[in-house]
């Protein structure tokens, strides 16, 4: 493990990736290529079989059993922070398909044996930390603005949220803080995971490159972030069913965005 870490550190220092300036046409092309990858390997089956039932059960258990309905929206919104990490199998599928290799899921899971898997997991843990920090902030904002009793009903919570001044302050403040978390998570991960899978660089190198890509393309990356958000919102209708398509397509498209941005 020491030798592997040392190798990754050496590679991360030796390789100095460059970033390109891209246009919104590149975003459209990345989405189109992501759609083509999705059609070639309908990876939504894995999402249906594993991710969404598990996520649905956990969210239902947390919000109903522990009566934390006020955290339902932060949980659903913050879950997107973990999307780049959850999609590592999709990046590998697109990478193999791009190289003309077998891109079935039996090969996609080989990403778990990547030389850089330790660095990939480390960045995944960082995103998990951001997710938990966001939930903590959301809970503190709720307690400071509304602070309703623990046994408050859903109807009373919604009434207090949308018909009182404190409720609207909570909405504005919560969304503003959530936006900061989203920008931070987006900046450090927009191309980091595909890059670590493709080049086996260390996490700091990948994160620096991701931030550099955002800095070099602020307008285009803003558009990409809005496109991702819009597709995820549409995918939530009805009852998260659309995410079965939206999430895999966005995962595949992220690989192609990385290939366009990083030299």
């Amino acid at each position: 493990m020491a030798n592997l870490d040392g190798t990754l550190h050496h590679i991360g220092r030796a390789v100095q990736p460059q970033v390109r300036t891209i246009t919104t046409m590149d975003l459209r092309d990345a989405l189109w290529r992501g759609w083509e990858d999705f059609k070639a390997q309908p990876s939504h089956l894995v999402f249906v079989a594993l991710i969404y039932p598990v996520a649905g059960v956990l969210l239902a258990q947390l919000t109903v059993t522990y009566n934390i309905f006020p955290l339902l929206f932060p949980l659903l919104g913050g879950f997107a922070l973990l999307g780049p990490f959850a999609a590592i199998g999709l990046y590998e599928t697109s990478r193999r398909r791009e190289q003309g290799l077998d891109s079935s899921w039996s090969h996609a899971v080989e990403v778990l044996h990547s030389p850089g898997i330790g660095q990939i997991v480390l960045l995944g843990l960082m995103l998990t930390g951001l997710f938990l920090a966001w939930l903590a902030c959301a809970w503190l904002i709720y307690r400071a603005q509304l602070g309703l009793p623990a046994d408050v009903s859903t109807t009373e919570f919604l009434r207090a949220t949308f018909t009182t001044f404190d409720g609207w302050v909570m909405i504005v403040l919560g969304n503003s803080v959530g936006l900061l978390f989203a920008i931070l998570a987006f900046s450090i991960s927009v191309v980091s995971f595909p890059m670590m899978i493709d080049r086996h660089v260390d996490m700091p190198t990948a994160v620096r490159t991701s931030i550099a890509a955002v800095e070099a393309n602020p307008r285009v990356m803003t558009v990409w972030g809005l496109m991702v958000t819009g597709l995820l919102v549409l995918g939530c209708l009805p009852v998260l069913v659309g995410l079965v398509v939206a999430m895999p397509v966005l995962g595949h498209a992220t690989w192609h965005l990385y290939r366009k941005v990083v030299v």
Side-chain angles (χ1 to χ4, degrees):
M1 179 60 71
N3 290 336
L4 177 57
D5 290 341
T7 300
L8 287 171
H9 182 65
H10 173 73
I11 293 175
R13 293 184 59 185
V15 177
Q16 298 297 325
Q18 302 297 314
V19 297
R20 293 190 181 102
T21 299
I22 60 173
T23 68
T24 53
M25 291 300 296
D26 291 308
L27 301 183
R28 294 178 58 184
D29 186 64
L31 274 177
W32 174 254
R33 291 174 183 269
W35 172 248
E36 291 296 314
D37 286 351
F38 171 75
K39 290 192 301 181
Q41 291 294 339
S43 48
H44 62 288
L45 295 177
V46 174
F47 281 81
V48 172
L50 297 175
I51 295 179
Y52 290 108
V54 172
V57 169
L58 289 177
L59 290 178
Q61 188 73 13
L62 287 171
T63 57
V64 177
T65 302
Y66 295 99
N67 196 25
I68 54 173
F69 183 78
L71 282 182
L72 178 58
F73 177 74
L75 278 168
L76 290 174
F79 192 66
L81 298 179
L82 304 178
F85 179 49
I88 57 175
L90 300 174
Y91 309 144
E92 176 66 7
T93 299
S94 291
R95 184 189 73 82
R96 294 182 66 87
R97 186 166 185 264
E98 183 180 87
Q99 296 181 0
L101 304 174
D102 184 358
S103 56
S104 65
W105 268 99
S106 61
H107 290 282
V109 295
E110 289 179 5
V111 69
L112 299 177
H113 303 292
S114 167
I117 188 62
Q119 299 293 298
I120 293 171
V121 170
L122 188 60
L123 183 55
L125 292 175
M126 181 185 295
L127 291 182
T128 302
L130 285 177
F131 174 62
L132 295 176
W134 155 239
L135 290 183
C137 288
W139 181 252
L140 290 175
I141 292 171
Y142 163 71
R143 294 297 299 170
Q145 293 303 128
L146 293 183
L148 297 173
D151 59 349
V152 64
S153 66
T154 301
T155 302
E156 179 60 23
F157 169 75
L158 294 176
R159 186 202 66 77
T161 299
F162 293 105
T163 65
T164 67
F165 176 76
D166 286 341
W168 280 103
V169 170
M170 180 186 71
I171 291 173
V172 173
L173 184 58
N175 280 281
S176 298
V177 173
L179 178 61
L180 295 178
F181 274 97
I183 292 173
L184 176 59
F186 177 83
S187 297
I188 67 176
S189 66
V190 63
V191 297
S192 296
F193 288 105
M195 185 177 177
M196 286 189 285
I197 290 171
D198 185 37
R199 306 190 183 194
H200 310 312
V201 298
D202 59 14
M203 187 195 73
T205 300
V207 169
R208 285 195 302 269
T209 304
S210 185
I211 294 173
V214 174
E215 291 177 341
N217 301 277
R219 184 181 67 85
V220 177
M221 285 300 183
T222 298
V223 173
W224 176 247
L226 292 174
M227 290 172 66
V228 170
T229 301
L231 288 174
L232 290 178
V233 170
L234 289 175
C236 289
L237 304 173
V239 199
L240 306 183
V241 172
L243 292 178
V244 172
V245 174
M247 285 290 286
V249 170
L250 287 173
H252 291 305
T254 297
W255 166 265
H256 296 290
L257 178 66
Y258 150 71
R259 295 287 287 155
K260 290 177 179 295
V261 175
V262 181
V263 179

